[in-house]
Amino acid sequence: MSNETVILKDLSIGYTTKGNEKVVASGLNAAINSGELTCLLGQNGIGKSTLLRTLAAFQPALGGNILLNTEGNHTSHLSSLPSHLLSRLIGVVLTEKLAIKNMTAEELIAMGRAPYTGFWGRLTDEDHQVVRESIRLVGIESLAGRMIQTLSDGERQKVMIAKALAQQTPIIYLDEPTAFLDYPSKVEMMQLLRRLAVQEQKTIFLSTHDVELSLQVADCIWLMESENHSTFNIQHSPLSVGTPHQLADQGVLSRFIEREGIAFDRDSLTIRIIAAS
């Protein structure tokens, strides 16, 4: 059963430098549901990373509100929550490669327990059990004793997802989780994330450039576009939200994908390259 967990209300995102605001996008209204995999798509520079950082409370919103529906249907404003509570609500998996060495995968995953272990960071039996369960859920039991520097890109990504699971947050954000992976590993990663969303009733939201794969796997798509991009030259919301088939039927995906030599099939949600004649 899906519930609205993260709610955007007339959100404006961007930066403030030397007292001047740089608005990246405004008028964002949408909700991310628990039990679903939601993928954020958009061209380079459109503001996907800015939106993700704002949702994760890494930077403040310029306007509007981000609401979190926590346990017991208690609604909180993201901006009002202290860091120690945020660390129990939101887990973040970034795309940067790890510089950590001389640490096993299990030891890194155990760092996800930091919000619960107190000042000394000592793990209880319960903490160790949570770490083992997180490893099991991601299916990386064989990697637990491996040193981080010996892992492939795909294996490291799975370890970081297990670390986020060990954090036991209802919400997990991921920035380009398939960026460094070969195609079979991309598919495996997306299927893993959707399985975790559905089976564990997590709210999983990720940004990605893997358009066709997202359309095949995701429950919901957020597509960011320029605010003044419209066939009829009328300003519209910079964010289109719906299932892949809903956005395909609305023509939103064709507008985003199709270029000279690139065709989009609305029925199969596939992209086809048209060979030059």
mmCIF file of all heavy atoms in Angstrom, residues 49 52 92-98 157 174-180 207:
data_model
loop_
_atom_site.group_PDB
_atom_site.id
_atom_site.type_symbol
_atom_site.label_atom_id
_atom_site.label_comp_id
_atom_site.label_asym_id
_atom_site.label_seq_id
_atom_site.Cartn_x
_atom_site.Cartn_y
_atom_site.Cartn_z
ATOM 1 N N SER A 49 19.994 17.671 -9.573
ATOM 2 C CA SER A 49 20.842 17.565 -8.377
ATOM 3 C C SER A 49 20.439 18.598 -7.337
ATOM 4 O O SER A 49 20.449 18.319 -6.127
ATOM 5 C CB SER A 49 22.320 17.743 -8.754
ATOM 6 O OG SER A 49 22.760 16.667 -9.557
ATOM 7 N N LEU A 52 17.362 17.261 -5.623
ATOM 8 C CA LEU A 52 17.705 16.156 -4.721
ATOM 9 C C LEU A 52 18.365 16.684 -3.446
ATOM 10 O O LEU A 52 18.033 16.247 -2.339
ATOM 11 C CB LEU A 52 18.625 15.173 -5.437
ATOM 12 C CG LEU A 52 18.730 13.773 -4.833
ATOM 13 C CD1 LEU A 52 17.412 13.039 -4.933
ATOM 14 C CD2 LEU A 52 19.814 12.969 -5.519
ATOM 15 N N VAL A 92 20.778 8.906 2.323
ATOM 16 C CA VAL A 92 21.210 9.433 1.030
ATOM 17 C C VAL A 92 22.385 8.601 0.511
ATOM 18 O O VAL A 92 23.348 8.361 1.244
ATOM 19 C CB VAL A 92 21.623 10.914 1.131
ATOM 20 C CG1 VAL A 92 22.034 11.447 -0.236
ATOM 21 C CG2 VAL A 92 20.490 11.758 1.714
ATOM 22 N N VAL A 93 22.290 8.193 -0.748
ATOM 23 C CA VAL A 93 23.376 7.478 -1.415
ATOM 24 C C VAL A 93 23.842 8.348 -2.577
ATOM 25 O O VAL A 93 23.098 8.561 -3.534
ATOM 26 C CB VAL A 93 22.923 6.098 -1.931
ATOM 27 C CG1 VAL A 93 24.082 5.388 -2.636
ATOM 28 C CG2 VAL A 93 22.395 5.244 -0.787
ATOM 29 N N LEU A 94 25.057 8.869 -2.485
ATOM 30 C CA LEU A 94 25.599 9.768 -3.498
ATOM 31 C C LEU A 94 26.351 8.990 -4.569
ATOM 32 O O LEU A 94 26.705 7.821 -4.376
ATOM 33 C CB LEU A 94 26.509 10.808 -2.855
ATOM 34 C CG LEU A 94 25.831 11.713 -1.816
ATOM 35 C CD1 LEU A 94 26.850 12.625 -1.153
ATOM 36 C CD2 LEU A 94 24.702 12.520 -2.437
ATOM 37 N N THR A 95 26.649 9.653 -5.677
ATOM 38 C CA THR A 95 27.278 8.973 -6.807
ATOM 39 C C THR A 95 28.798 8.943 -6.721
ATOM 40 O O THR A 95 29.442 8.183 -7.425
ATOM 41 C CB THR A 95 26.853 9.653 -8.129
ATOM 42 O OG1 THR A 95 27.221 8.820 -9.215
ATOM 43 C CG2 THR A 95 27.504 11.017 -8.280
ATOM 44 N N GLU A 96 29.392 9.778 -5.840
ATOM 45 C CA GLU A 96 30.848 9.842 -5.767
ATOM 46 C C GLU A 96 31.442 8.511 -5.339
ATOM 47 O O GLU A 96 30.920 7.828 -4.462
ATOM 48 C CB GLU A 96 31.304 10.922 -4.777
ATOM 49 C CG GLU A 96 31.098 12.351 -5.266
ATOM 50 C CD GLU A 96 29.700 12.859 -4.990
ATOM 51 O OE1 GLU A 96 28.900 12.089 -4.404
ATOM 52 O OE2 GLU A 96 29.401 14.003 -5.351
ATOM 53 N N LYS A 97 32.571 8.160 -5.952
ATOM 54 C CA LYS A 97 33.255 6.930 -5.575
ATOM 55 C C LYS A 97 33.923 7.110 -4.220
ATOM 56 O O LYS A 97 34.425 8.186 -3.879
ATOM 57 C CB LYS A 97 34.308 6.567 -6.629
ATOM 58 C CG LYS A 97 33.713 6.140 -7.960
ATOM 59 C CD LYS A 97 34.778 5.595 -8.888
ATOM 60 C CE LYS A 97 34.181 5.132 -10.195
ATOM 61 N NZ LYS A 97 35.183 4.543 -11.099
ATOM 62 N N LEU A 98 33.942 6.045 -3.442
ATOM 63 C CA LEU A 98 34.489 6.101 -2.095
ATOM 64 C C LEU A 98 36.007 6.184 -2.113
ATOM 65 O O LEU A 98 36.669 5.542 -2.901
ATOM 66 C CB LEU A 98 34.072 4.850 -1.308
ATOM 67 C CG LEU A 98 32.575 4.682 -1.042
ATOM 68 C CD1 LEU A 98 32.324 3.319 -0.421
ATOM 69 C CD2 LEU A 98 32.058 5.782 -0.145
ATOM 70 N N GLN A 157 28.215 0.121 -4.920
ATOM 71 C CA GLN A 157 26.890 0.731 -4.867
ATOM 72 C C GLN A 157 25.946 -0.101 -4.000
ATOM 73 O O GLN A 157 25.150 0.442 -3.232
ATOM 74 C CB GLN A 157 26.312 0.884 -6.280
ATOM 75 C CG GLN A 157 26.893 2.045 -7.069
ATOM 76 C CD GLN A 157 26.463 3.395 -6.499
ATOM 77 O OE1 GLN A 157 26.868 3.785 -5.410
ATOM 78 N NE2 GLN A 157 25.644 4.116 -7.230
ATOM 79 N N LEU A 174 18.761 8.634 -3.862
ATOM 80 C CA LEU A 174 19.977 8.192 -4.536
ATOM 81 C C LEU A 174 20.264 9.111 -5.714
ATOM 82 O O LEU A 174 19.369 9.437 -6.507
ATOM 83 C CB LEU A 174 19.850 6.751 -5.033
ATOM 84 C CG LEU A 174 19.531 5.687 -3.974
ATOM 85 C CD1 LEU A 174 18.040 5.345 -4.015
ATOM 86 C CD2 LEU A 174 20.352 4.432 -4.186
ATOM 87 N N ASP A 175 21.520 9.527 -5.845
ATOM 88 C CA ASP A 175 21.954 10.386 -6.936
ATOM 89 C C ASP A 175 22.710 9.542 -7.953
ATOM 90 O O ASP A 175 23.812 9.071 -7.683
ATOM 91 C CB ASP A 175 22.850 11.507 -6.392
ATOM 92 C CG ASP A 175 23.308 12.463 -7.486
ATOM 93 O OD1 ASP A 175 22.624 12.549 -8.522
ATOM 94 O OD2 ASP A 175 24.347 13.122 -7.292
ATOM 95 N N GLU A 176 22.099 9.339 -9.118
ATOM 96 C CA GLU A 176 22.725 8.579 -10.209
ATOM 97 C C GLU A 176 23.306 7.228 -9.740
ATOM 98 O O GLU A 176 24.498 6.958 -9.917
ATOM 99 C CB GLU A 176 23.837 9.411 -10.863
ATOM 100 C CG GLU A 176 23.352 10.663 -11.565
ATOM 101 C CD GLU A 176 22.695 10.381 -12.899
ATOM 102 O OE1 GLU A 176 22.755 9.240 -13.374
ATOM 103 O OE2 GLU A 176 22.106 11.318 -13.468
ATOM 104 N N PRO A 177 22.509 6.364 -9.141
ATOM 105 C CA PRO A 177 23.047 5.101 -8.603
ATOM 106 C C PRO A 177 23.581 4.137 -9.657
ATOM 107 O O PRO A 177 24.315 3.213 -9.321
ATOM 108 C CB PRO A 177 21.845 4.493 -7.865
ATOM 109 C CG PRO A 177 20.658 5.068 -8.552
ATOM 110 C CD PRO A 177 21.054 6.466 -8.932
ATOM 111 N N THR A 178 23.231 4.352 -10.933
ATOM 112 C CA THR A 178 23.695 3.449 -11.988
ATOM 113 C C THR A 178 24.795 4.068 -12.849
ATOM 114 O O THR A 178 25.156 3.512 -13.894
ATOM 115 C CB THR A 178 22.520 3.034 -12.905
ATOM 116 O OG1 THR A 178 21.965 4.215 -13.513
ATOM 117 C CG2 THR A 178 21.437 2.330 -12.110
ATOM 118 N N ALA A 179 25.349 5.193 -12.407
ATOM 119 C CA ALA A 179 26.241 5.996 -13.263
ATOM 120 C C ALA A 179 27.464 5.237 -13.763
ATOM 121 O O ALA A 179 27.865 5.400 -14.909
ATOM 122 C CB ALA A 179 26.680 7.248 -12.518
ATOM 123 N N PHE A 180 28.076 4.411 -12.931
ATOM 124 C CA PHE A 180 29.345 3.779 -13.299
ATOM 125 C C PHE A 180 29.191 2.302 -13.666
ATOM 126 O O PHE A 180 30.186 1.575 -13.732
ATOM 127 C CB PHE A 180 30.350 3.913 -12.153
ATOM 128 C CG PHE A 180 30.599 5.330 -11.733
ATOM 129 C CD1 PHE A 180 30.232 5.766 -10.475
ATOM 130 C CD2 PHE A 180 31.191 6.235 -12.602
ATOM 131 C CE1 PHE A 180 30.451 7.082 -10.081
ATOM 132 C CE2 PHE A 180 31.420 7.544 -12.223
ATOM 133 C CZ PHE A 180 31.049 7.969 -10.967
ATOM 134 N N SER A 207 17.686 10.140 -8.924
ATOM 135 C CA SER A 207 17.912 10.864 -10.176
ATOM 136 C C SER A 207 18.729 9.972 -11.098
ATOM 137 O O SER A 207 19.570 9.198 -10.643
ATOM 138 C CB SER A 207 18.664 12.172 -9.916
ATOM 139 O OG SER A 207 19.974 11.914 -9.438
#
